[in-house]
């Protein structure tokens, strides 16, 4: 777009909730905002090659590419988008505190000028970014009466950030301590709250359950899987089961990003655990501390395990 023809809804900024969402050059929360708020708001056919996502960092680009694979949405770094355009451009700035690299005025100019019709910019909701070029862009959007949206996407793990220390204390108040890890404490509180609903009254949960007690037929497992699964130190974080017959319904794992990230030995063990559970016919849900919408995802997995939902209907909603 090079000329103002009084088009509506041209520029909009989205602010994530406060928190240390970026992990180096990767920010899953901004990707979640793009997938669940920005793209639905644009209201265009994602298979029509009308949307481009731009990031200053290759790590963010690769993560977003994985999550939109096959959709028709093109994700590239700023440099690879130079000289090209899309009707709708979404810029993910990644940083919690805007760095000199991301704030480079020439790079920012290239990113925002790729849009032919509409531009969306996803920024951190943290304080301290006001006196930057990105901050000036948000001010420009406000000044010209375009919209600055406070994202509604939250995570129970947001309470791990120092900004939410008092709220975390309140959230866990009077809760039975089940783990030395605050992330697992938050997961346990969420599970307890959901299982109090009438539709899940027949379910219960326990913590740190030995994986070997879930094995039904070890002949289905490889030798390495048998050794791993029967090790007395191998546990699942949470097992949700039917009160009447004690049959497992769903395993829930809490994954800290640094410990469980791609390429670690723990990720290899996670994959083996998932494979063992799959062979035993037990569904599993992994809640990573950099992701979001845990309550909705847990309810969906429980409904699916109990045969009470249409998968496409739930995803569509």
């Amino acid at each position: 777009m090079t000329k103002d023809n009084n088009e509506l809804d041209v520029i909009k900024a989205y602010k994530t909730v406060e928190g240390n969402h970026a992990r180096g050059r990767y920010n899953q929360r901004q990707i979640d905002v793009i997938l669940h708020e920005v793209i639905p708001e644009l209201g265009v056919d994602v298979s029509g090659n009308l949307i481009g996502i731009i990031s200053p960092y290759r790590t963010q680009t690769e993560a977003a590419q994985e999550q939109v694979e096959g959709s028709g949405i093109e994700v590239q770094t700023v440099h690879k988008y130079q000289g090209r355009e899309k009707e709708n451009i979404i810029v993910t700035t990644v940083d919690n505190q805007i760095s000199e690299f991301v704030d480079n005025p020439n790079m920012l100019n290239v990113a925002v000028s790729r849009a032919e019709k509409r531009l969306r910019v996803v920024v951190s909701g943290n304080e301290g970014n006001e006196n930057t070029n990105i901050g000036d862009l948000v001010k420009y959007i406000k000044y010209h009466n375009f919209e600055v949206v406070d994202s509604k996407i939250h995570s129970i793990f947001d309470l791990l950030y120092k900004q939410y220390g008092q709220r975390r204390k309140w959230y866990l108040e009077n809760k039975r301590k089940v783990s030395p890890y605050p992330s697992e404490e938050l997961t346990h509180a969420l599970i307890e709250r959901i299982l109090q609903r009438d539709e899940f009254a027949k379910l219960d949960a326990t913590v740190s359950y030995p994986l070997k007690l879930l094995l039904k037929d070890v002949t289905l497992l490889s030798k390495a899987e048998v050794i791993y699964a029967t090790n007395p130190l191998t546990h699942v974080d949470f097992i949700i089961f039917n009160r009447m017959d004690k049959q497992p319904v769903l395993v829930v794992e809490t994954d800290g990003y640094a410990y469980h990230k791609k390429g670690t030995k723990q990720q290899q063990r996670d994959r083996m655990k998932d494979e063992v559970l799959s062979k035993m016919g037990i569904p599993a849900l992994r809640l990573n501390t950099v992701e979001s919408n845990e309550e909705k995802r847990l309810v969906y997995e429980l409904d699916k395990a109990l045969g009470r939902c249409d998968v496409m209907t739930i995803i569509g909603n």
Side-chain angles (χ1 to χ4, degrees):
M1 178 180 291
T2 57
K3 184 178 179 181
D4 182 2
N5 293 310
N6 296 314
E7 295 94 341
L8 299 175
D9 198 29
V10 174
I11 309 176
K12 187 178 292 188
Y14 285 76
K15 285 187 173 183
T16 63
V17 298
E18 285 186 279
N20 184 35
H21 302 302
R23 298 295 187 274
R25 297 176 177 180
Y26 160 64
N27 190 323
Q28 182 60 44
R29 182 60 54 86
Q30 290 199 7
I31 295 175
D32 289 350
V33 170
I34 290 170
L35 295 179
H36 301 295
E37 293 183 326
V38 181
I39 291 175
E41 173 263 319
L42 287 172
V44 299
D45 180 5
V46 295
S47 64
N49 200 29
L50 302 175
I51 298 176
I53 299 175
I54 297 179
S55 164
Y57 297 123
R58 190 175 66 226
T59 305
Q60 181 79 341
T61 298
E62 291 171 351
Q65 283 173 340
E66 286 183 10
Q67 295 174 58
V68 301
E69 187 176 3
S71 68
I73 297 171
E74 186 176 12
V75 188
Q76 294 292 352
T77 59
V78 178
H79 298 96
K80 288 193 175 182
Y81 253 112
Q82 194 157 6
R84 303 163 59 201
E85 297 83 29
K86 289 283 184 181
E87 285 193 7
N88 303 279
I89 286 292
I90 305 168
V91 178
T92 164
T93 57
V94 183
D95 289 347
N96 297 317
Q97 300 297 325
I98 298 299
S99 65
E100 185 176 350
F101 176 75
V102 171
D103 209 41
N104 180 286
N106 295 320
M107 189 163 66
L108 181 60
N109 180 63
V110 169
V112 302
S113 60
R114 299 309 90 200
E116 296 175 338
K117 291 186 177 180
R118 290 184 292 182
L119 172 70
R120 300 293 183 261
V121 184
V122 183
V123 299
S124 168
N126 293 345
E127 296 180 355
N129 290 320
E130 295 80 9
N131 297 320
T132 63
N133 292 313
I134 298 288
D136 285 343
L137 176 58
V138 174
K139 292 172 189 172
Y140 175 88
I141 293 171
K142 285 182 178 178
Y143 179 79
H144 289 277
N145 297 319
F146 292 112
E147 193 172 2
V148 177
V149 178
D150 290 323
S151 172
K152 299 297 188 294
I153 293 181
H154 294 263
S155 165
I156 58 170
F157 302 118
D158 289 344
L159 296 177
L160 296 173
Y161 302 133
K162 62 182 181 180
Q163 296 99 317
Y164 302 98
Q166 188 58 41
R167 196 180 302 178
R168 180 174 70 248
K169 182 179 178 181
W170 171 81
Y171 186 78
L172 295 175
E173 193 173 19
N174 299 323
K175 300 287 194 306
R176 177 170 59 93
K177 188 170 180 63
V178 298
S179 170
Y181 303 106
S183 57
E184 292 185 0
E185 291 282 292
L186 292 169
T187 302
H188 181 250
L190 173 66
I191 291 172
E192 280 197 326
R193 180 156 54 84
I194 289 175
L195 295 188
Q196 288 173 2
R197 299 184 185 184
D198 290 343
E199 63 265 37
F200 301 124
K202 67 179 183 179
L203 302 181
D204 203 348
T206 191
V207 182
S208 191
Y209 194 78
L211 181 58
K212 65 181 180 180
L213 298 183
L214 297 175
L215 301 181
K216 302 172 184 176
D217 183 359
V218 294
T219 63
L220 299 174
L221 306 181
S222 68
K223 183 177 179 180
E225 288 170 344
V226 171
I227 293 172
Y228 170 74
T230 56
N231 188 313
L233 297 179
T234 304
H235 289 66
V236 299
D237 291 342
F238 304 92
I239 180 77
I240 299 175
F241 59 90
N242 191 303
R243 291 176 185 269
M244 298 299 292
D245 58 11
K246 309 302 181 186
Q247 289 300 302
V249 172
L250 179 70
V251 163
V252 181
E253 294 278 292
T254 303
D255 295 345
Y257 173 73
Y259 190 54
H260 294 262
K261 67 181 179 181
K262 187 182 296 185
T264 61
K265 288 185 178 180
Q266 184 57 46
Q267 189 208 29
Q268 297 174 7
R269 289 192 286 266
D270 292 342
R271 287 179 175 175
M272 185 173 291
K273 184 185 291 185
D274 291 346
E275 184 64 22
V276 169
L277 290 169
S278 176
K279 289 179 178 180
M280 295 301 107
I282 303 171
L285 171 65
R286 290 194 171 274
L287 300 179
N288 194 293
T289 55
V290 300
E291 296 175 345
S292 59
N293 291 327
E294 293 82 15
E295 181 168 350
K296 182 177 181 180
R297 291 162 58 201
L298 179 53
V299 169
Y300 165 63
E301 291 295 337
L302 286 173
D303 280 337
K304 187 169 72 169
L306 295 172
R308 293 204 302 233
C309 69
D310 176 350
V311 174
M312 295 309 296
T313 300
I314 293 294
I315 293 175
N317 289 337

